[in-house]
């Protein structure tokens, strides 16, 4: 049947576009309407330089202060310990470079300037942690230990992290939740062990070990509290919780309890730790996004868990023994929205399946690895997933507005995509 008005315009009848369902919320999220409103209002009313005394400048300064308070409330920290950055990559690099500087200066004062700082991280970290550490190691500026995750739990276990500590260790950096599997790392246990160890190290005259976590994937999906986590640094990424593409860094006792060194030098903004005229509209949006998380996080989490669990149930019903749920590890906590799975079959590589999908918008893993072709995910391989299974993996991550009806559409779409790849006739009536 023709769409209304088409005949009058003299156009040939066209096939209406298929409905699409987005399930790549771990890659990025859309802006909430309230966030958009906050950004627009700041652009219109707070265009002044936050360092200027006239009304538009004072309004910008007030908006930035309110956003800082909202971010602090979201993670249970203090406003004065929040620095605004361009995003997660900058925040992570700022921590790593600061620890190099701190270690070098601390040891230079003790007459041991040749000492090399040692970092500990895990084998499934985001590139914005892994790559700067690899570059430091290659340059001989630092030593790095990449602790493998357990194939039984998918986690970097506290025992393994602590076993890697050396006299020159200055930082443990372990992500709060993995972006591909959704596995939540045992940060409270790691931090407790490091604090206990630091007491012994102080008595022996050894440097303190600081703890950093990249919380990009966890924020907005589950409660995050820096007091419970016990971390010294925590990375915040706005576009992962329906905010704009900027970020922030929590530093416990900024400049007093925990050292930080600027990578940029300029006008003294952000206590001179991250100078540059503040991006008021984006900061306003980030603050509003944080406020929404503080207000609604339990509801967001419950909804996403319900939809994700329904998705996994439907996948198991439709594909039976052909499905492998790669992100399920017995006894391991995971994000409420993430489902990593493989449909078994020699023709069903993840990218091939997605290319055949007409409804589903998703990815095979981390968006920053989208150029790796059909190579299996290093994260899944680290977790003990066999190569042929990892090559078929898809990561579906649901959002605040994802519905069960959309899950049904996606599962049907996957079923038809598999049938096309395997040369089987589609189900009767399928479009």
């Amino acid at each position: 049947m023709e769409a209304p008005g088409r005949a009058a315009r003299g156009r040939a009848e066209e096939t209406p576009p298929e409905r699409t369902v987005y399930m790549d919320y771990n890659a990025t999220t859309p802006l909430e309407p309230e966030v958009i409103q906050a950004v627009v209002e700041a652009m219109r009313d707070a265009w002044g330089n936050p360092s200027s005394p006239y009304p538009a400048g004072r309004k910008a300064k007030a908006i930035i202060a309110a956003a800082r308070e909202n971010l602090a409330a979201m993670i249970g920290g203090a406003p004065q310990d929040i620095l605004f950055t361009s995003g997660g990559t900058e925040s992570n690099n700022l921590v790593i470079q600061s620890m190099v500087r701190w270690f070098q200066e601390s040891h230079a004062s003790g007459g041991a300037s040749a000492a090399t700082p040692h970092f500990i991280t895990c084998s499934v970290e985001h590139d914005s942690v892994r790559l700067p550490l690899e570059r430091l190691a290659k340059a001989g500026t630092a030593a790095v230990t990449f602790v493998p995750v357990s194939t039984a739990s998918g986690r970097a276990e506290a025992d393994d992290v602590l076993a890697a500590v050396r006299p020159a260790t200055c930082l443990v950096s372990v992500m709060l939740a993995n972006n591909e599997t959704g596995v939540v790392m045992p940060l409270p246990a790691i931090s407790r062990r490091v604090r206990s160890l630091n007491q012994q190290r102080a008595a022996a005259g050894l440097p303190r070990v600081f703890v950093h976590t990249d919380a990009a994937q966890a924020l907005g999906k589950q409660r995050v509290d820096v007091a419970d986590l016990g971390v010294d640094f925590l990375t915040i990424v706005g576009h992962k919780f329906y905010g704009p593409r900027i970020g922030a860094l929590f530093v416990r006792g900024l400049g007093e309890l925990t050292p930080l060194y600027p990578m940029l030098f300029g006008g003294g903004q952000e206590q001179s730790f991250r100078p540059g005229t503040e991006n008021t509209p984006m900061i306003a949006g980030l603050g509003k996004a944080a406020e929404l998380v503080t207000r609604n996080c339990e509801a967001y989490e419950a909804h996403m868990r319900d939809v994700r669990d329904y998705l996994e149930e439907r996948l198991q019903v439709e594909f039976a023994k052909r499905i492998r749920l790669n992100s399920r590890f017995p006894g391991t906590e995971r994000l409420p929205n993430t489902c990593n799975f493989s449909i078994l079959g020699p023709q069903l590589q993840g990218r091939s399946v997605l290319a055949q999908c007409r409804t589903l918008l998703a990815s095979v893993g981390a968006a920053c690895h989208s150029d790796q072709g059909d190579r299996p995910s290093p994260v899944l391989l680290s977790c003990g997933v066999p190569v042929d299974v990892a090559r078929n993996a898809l990561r579906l991550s649901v959002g605040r507005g994802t519905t069960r009806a959309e899950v049904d559409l996606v599962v049907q779409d996957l079923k038809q995509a598999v049938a096309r790849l395997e040369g089987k006739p589609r189900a009767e009536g399928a479009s």
Side-chain angles (χ1 to χ4, degrees):
M1 179 178 178
E2 279 189 349
R6 281 229 174 122
R9 292 193 298 270
R11 296 179 182 174
E13 183 176 356
E14 300 173 0
T15 303
E18 303 234 13
R19 178 181 178 182
T20 58
V21 178
Y22 182 74
M23 286 194 178
D24 206 15
Y25 289 91
N26 283 5
T28 199
T29 56
L31 297 180
E32 286 279 14
E34 291 176 68
V35 171
I36 295 173
Q37 182 180 354
V39 171
V40 170
E41 289 179 354
M43 285 180 168
R44 183 186 64 224
D45 302 331
W47 50 267
N49 191 312
S51 299
S52 299
Y54 39 76
R58 292 198 303 270
K59 186 169 184 64
K61 186 174 183 179
I63 285 174
I64 292 168
R68 203 183 308 275
E69 291 179 359
N70 284 336
L71 284 170
M74 177 176 67
I75 62 169
Q80 63 269 25
D81 291 342
I82 299 291
L83 289 179
F84 294 109
T85 68
S86 62
T89 294
E90 182 188 341
S91 294
N92 290 341
N93 277 263
L94 182 55
V95 171
I96 291 167
Q97 298 297 336
S98 289
M99 288 292 95
V100 172
R101 287 278 307 278
W102 171 79
F103 186 90
Q104 290 172 340
E105 292 190 5
S106 299
H107 280 67
S109 63
S113 57
T116 300
H118 175 240
F119 292 79
I120 299 171
T121 189
C122 76
S123 60
V124 298
E125 284 295 319
H126 189 269
D127 280 357
S128 59
V129 169
R130 180 180 64 82
L131 290 177
L133 289 177
E134 286 181 349
R135 285 178 175 269
L136 289 173
K138 185 176 181 180
T141 308
V144 183
T145 299
F146 290 90
V147 175
V149 295
S150 165
T151 56
S153 67
R155 310 190 311 176
E157 299 294 0
D159 285 348
D160 297 328
V161 171
L162 269 292
V165 174
R166 304 175 186 174
T169 302
C170 60
L171 182 72
V172 170
S173 180
V174 176
M175 62 186 1
L176 186 49
N178 184 263
N179 48 320
E180 292 191 38
T181 64
V183 165
V184 177
M185 302 293 177
L187 261 299
I190 291 172
S191 295
R192 283 195 302 270
R193 297 279 297 276
V194 170
R195 281 199 303 272
S196 177
L197 180 64
N198 277 336
Q199 294 177 356
Q200 303 171 32
R201 289 170 69 90
L206 294 174
R208 176 181 169 188
V209 179
F210 293 89
V211 180
H212 164 248
T213 191
D214 181 346
Q217 289 298 337
L219 288 166
K221 300 167 188 169
Q222 63 177 37
R223 180 175 173 270
V224 174
D225 189 291
V226 292
D228 293 343
L229 295 174
V231 296
D232 303 294
F233 302 97
L234 183 140
T235 293
I236 298 167
V237 181
H239 74 97
K240 304 294 189 180
F241 57 96
Y242 293 74
R245 287 193 173 97
I246 64 166
L249 178 65
F250 163 81
V251 185
R252 186 183 301 280
L254 174 59
E256 297 178 2
L257 297 176
T258 307
L260 195 74
Y261 293 80
M263 293 194 296
L264 306 173
F265 299 89
Q269 295 87 351
E270 295 299 286
Q271 304 177 59
S272 291
F273 290 110
R274 206 280 182 178
T277 303
E278 300 91 339
N279 189 346
T280 305
M282 295 301 105
I283 290 174
L286 185 63
K288 177 57 69 173
E291 179 187 334
L292 293 174
V293 168
T294 302
R295 189 192 312 159
N296 303 309
C297 191
E298 288 185 7
Y300 294 155
E301 180 177 3
H303 172 76
M304 288 186 285
R305 190 181 305 280
D306 174 75
V307 175
R308 191 274 313 277
D309 289 351
Y310 179 67
L311 168 63
E312 293 185 343
E313 291 168 7
R314 292 284 289 111
L315 287 171
Q316 288 177 306
V317 167
E318 289 296 339
F319 296 103
K321 294 181 179 179
R322 300 191 68 188
I323 198 83
R324 160 150 179 174
L325 299 174
N326 301 318
S327 50
R328 280 188 180 179
F329 295 89
T332 296
E333 181 186 0
R334 59 180 172 141
L335 295 175
N337 79 318
T338 305
C339 170
N340 192 303
F341 67 96
S342 299
I343 305 171
L344 306 182
Q347 298 168 288
L348 304 182
Q349 285 77 26
R351 292 183 187 280
S352 298
V353 173
L354 282 181
Q356 290 292 328
C357 285
R358 298 175 179 175
T359 298
L360 173 63
L361 302 177
S363 65
V364 297
C368 53
H369 293 159
S370 60
D371 61 346
Q372 291 188 349
D374 284 331
R375 285 181 289 172
S377 160
V379 169
L380 295 183
L381 296 179
S382 296
C383 294
V385 177
V387 173
D388 58 332
V389 177
R391 191 174 286 117
N392 287 20
L394 294 172
R395 180 192 69 180
L396 272 56
S397 46
V398 304
R400 298 171 185 176
T402 309
T403 65
R404 286 188 170 212
E406 288 178 324
V407 168
D408 291 335
L409 288 173
V410 163
V411 172
Q412 183 64 17
D413 192 30
L414 286 167
K415 187 176 179 181
Q416 293 171 0
V418 168
R420 282 190 285 271
L421 286 170
E422 295 184 329
K424 297 176 182 177
R426 289 178 291 172
E428 186 177 347
S431 58

